[in-house]
């Protein structure tokens, strides 16, 4: 993705598709100095690459030592130097790659980036919310009990920190999916050791079996699969297997944060295998606090049954 590196601090900052530079706290690049205008300049990504525009600043914008005319787009390439207000606010465009989805903390700091198909907020170590792309192409926000669509430019509050979601209009993943794989049309095969300390997972899709190895997070998924398999009360498949997260945390003897980590790890594993609906491997029911495994067909081979 596009990145600016500050000459003085050597700090590197990723660029949004449209990045404002100035003193305003809503700017993508905030420069706290009176010689920098409130909204001083902008960098935007175009079909021809990155472009710089001075927004009528008081003290000017320079590209490679030359002052740029206000209100005109000027092409910027990797290695170019840009200065705002004066030379000490100089940056180098160190990466001219296209922008990618991210969530920017309005108070400053490094943004949360899309990793393994998901943006975790406030941090990847403490995921209280997540933003991911659903199979229908819409971006989805999961935060607590809420599951809803989120639009680029929207601001959300997570654990007291405000984040602005940023995504290029024409963004698409770098990886090219050779064929459409759907989690919801697959079969999960769990192989469980006698002591249930080890769980291996294989997914069967379109007649192909893909071993996914072992993971501590698979025991969480196994628990959801057992609950869905055992739910004989549901009159419809759409109602089978839903379990409240408090019940899950009691069963698994864990906290809600650990539950969120497992959800992310499982989804990331399926995203790495190019499943279009990777987030559907663990479904959340909006406003209810309920979760379930998103695959209706689950085959469980317990250790005690192998003998």
């Amino acid at each position: 993705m596009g990145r600016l590196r500050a000459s003085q601090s050597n700090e590197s900052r990723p660029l949004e598709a449209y990045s404002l530079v100035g003193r305003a706290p809503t700017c993508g690049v905030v420069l706290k100095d009176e010689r920098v205008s409130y909204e001083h300049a902008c960098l935007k990504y175009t079909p021809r690459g990155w472009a710089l525009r001075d927004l009528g600043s008081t003290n000017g914008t320079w590209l490679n030592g030359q002052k740029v005319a206000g209100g005109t787009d000027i092409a910027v390439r990797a290695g170019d130097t840009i200065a705002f207000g004066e030379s000490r606010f100089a940056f180098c465009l160190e990466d001219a790659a296209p922008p990618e989805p991210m969530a920017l903390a309005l108070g400053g700091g490094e943004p949360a980036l899309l990793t393994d198909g998901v943006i975790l907020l406030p941090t990847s170590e403490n995921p209280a919310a997540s933003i991911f792309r659903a199979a229908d192409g819409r971006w989805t926000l999961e935060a607590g009990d809420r599951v809803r669509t989120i639009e680029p430019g929207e601001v959300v509050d997570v654990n007291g920190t405000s984040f602005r979601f940023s995504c290029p209009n024409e963004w698409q993943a770098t990886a090219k999916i050779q064929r459409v794989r759907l989690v919801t049309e697959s079969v999960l095969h769990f192989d469980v050791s006698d002591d249930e300390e080890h769980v291996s997972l294989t997914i069967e899709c379109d007649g192909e079996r893909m071993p996914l190895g072992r993971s501590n997070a698979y025991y969480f998924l196994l628990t959801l699969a057992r609950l869905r398999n055992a739910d004989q009360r549901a009159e419809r498949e759409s109602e089978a297997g839903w379990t409240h997260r408090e019940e899950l945390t009691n069963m698994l003897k864990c906290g809600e944060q650990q539950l969120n980590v497992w959800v992310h790890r499982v989804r990331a594993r399926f995203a790495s295998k190019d499943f279009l609906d990777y987030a559907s491997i663990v479904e959340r029911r909006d406003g209810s606090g309920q979760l379930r495994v998103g695959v209706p067909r689950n085959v469980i081979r317990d250790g005690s049954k192998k003998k």
Side-chain angles (χ1 to χ4, degrees):
M1 74 177 68
R3 298 189 75 94
L4 282 179
R5 184 171 293 277
S7 300
Q8 278 196 332
S9 66
N10 205 36
E11 178 186 1
S12 179
R13 309 184 188 191
L15 292 172
E16 302 176 73
Y18 183 88
S19 291
L20 279 172
V21 181
R23 297 199 324 271
T26 52
C27 287
V29 180
V30 179
L31 300 177
K32 298 180 180 180
D33 191 280
E34 290 301 317
R35 282 158 290 196
V36 176
S37 298
Y38 199 68
E39 291 186 353
H40 191 104
C42 72
L43 280 156
K44 59 182 178 180
Y45 193 76
T46 75
R48 296 174 298 281
W50 288 97
L52 170 68
R53 173 177 288 212
D54 182 89
L55 299 177
S57 67
T58 301
N59 294 309
T61 302
W62 283 262
L63 176 63
N64 296 326
Q66 299 294 316
K67 190 174 183 178
V68 303
T72 302
D73 288 346
I74 306 295
V76 186
R77 296 174 177 82
D80 284 351
T81 299
I82 308 168
F84 306 98
E86 64 170 50
S87 59
R88 71 190 184 97
F89 294 122
F91 294 81
C92 173
L93 183 66
E94 65 172 349
D95 191 337
E100 296 183 11
M102 66 182 81
L104 296 98
L106 297 188
E110 190 71 9
L113 305 178
L114 186 75
T115 305
D116 295 324
V118 66
I119 299 172
L120 297 175
L121 301 173
T123 67
S124 57
E125 294 78 21
N126 181 29
S130 61
I131 300 172
F132 55 87
R133 204 175 196 185
D136 61 7
R138 292 183 295 178
W139 288 96
T140 300
L141 169 69
E142 282 188 358
D145 292 344
R146 300 311 310 270
V147 181
R148 63 174 180 84
T149 299
I150 183 171
E151 300 294 339
E154 189 173 340
V155 175
V156 297
D157 184 81
V158 180
N159 289 359
T161 300
S162 294
F163 293 88
R164 183 177 70 250
F165 174 52
S166 174
C167 179
N169 291 334
E170 301 300 325
W171 181 84
Q172 53 184 307
T174 302
K176 303 298 182 184
I177 298 176
Q178 300 300 318
R179 59 177 177 170
V180 175
R181 288 179 174 148
L182 295 176
V183 169
T184 48
E185 295 180 2
S186 305
V187 181
L188 299 185
H189 294 264
F190 294 90
D191 204 320
V192 189
S193 65
D194 288 349
D195 56 8
E196 300 209 344
E197 288 292 321
H198 303 291
V199 179
S200 299
L201 180 61
T202 299
I203 186 163
E204 182 181 347
C205 181
D206 294 333
E208 177 188 0
R209 287 197 172 210
M210 290 177 286
L212 301 186
R214 291 179 178 176
S215 170
N216 292 336
Y218 291 160
Y219 189 80
F220 153 72
L221 192 64
L222 169 69
T223 302
L224 291 178
R226 283 172 168 166
L227 290 169
R228 183 155 185 173
N229 285 0
D231 192 353
Q232 303 298 324
R233 298 168 299 169
E235 296 181 2
R236 295 175 296 172
E237 187 60 49
S238 62
E239 297 300 316
W242 288 106
T243 308
H244 200 279
R245 69 169 182 269
E246 290 183 0
E247 183 180 349
L248 278 172
T249 55
N250 289 334
M251 293 173 64
L252 297 170
K253 296 181 174 58
C254 69
E256 185 175 343
Q257 180 179 336
Q258 181 62 65
L259 207 65
N260 290 335
V261 169
W262 284 332
V263 170
H264 163 59
R265 288 180 179 172
V266 168
R267 285 175 170 169
R269 190 70 177 123
F270 281 82
S272 72
K273 295 298 182 181
D274 293 335
F275 280 92
L276 186 64
D277 60 343
Y278 60 89
S280 298
I281 187 62
V282 178
E283 297 178 334
R284 291 185 189 264
R285 178 175 271 173
D286 183 32
S288 71
Q290 294 178 313
L291 300 85
R292 74 169 180 177
V293 62
V295 178
R297 292 175 292 172
N298 302 284
V299 179
I300 301 172
R301 188 167 177 252
D302 292 307
S304 59
K305 298 178 181 178
K306 300 174 190 175
K307 302 176 181 178

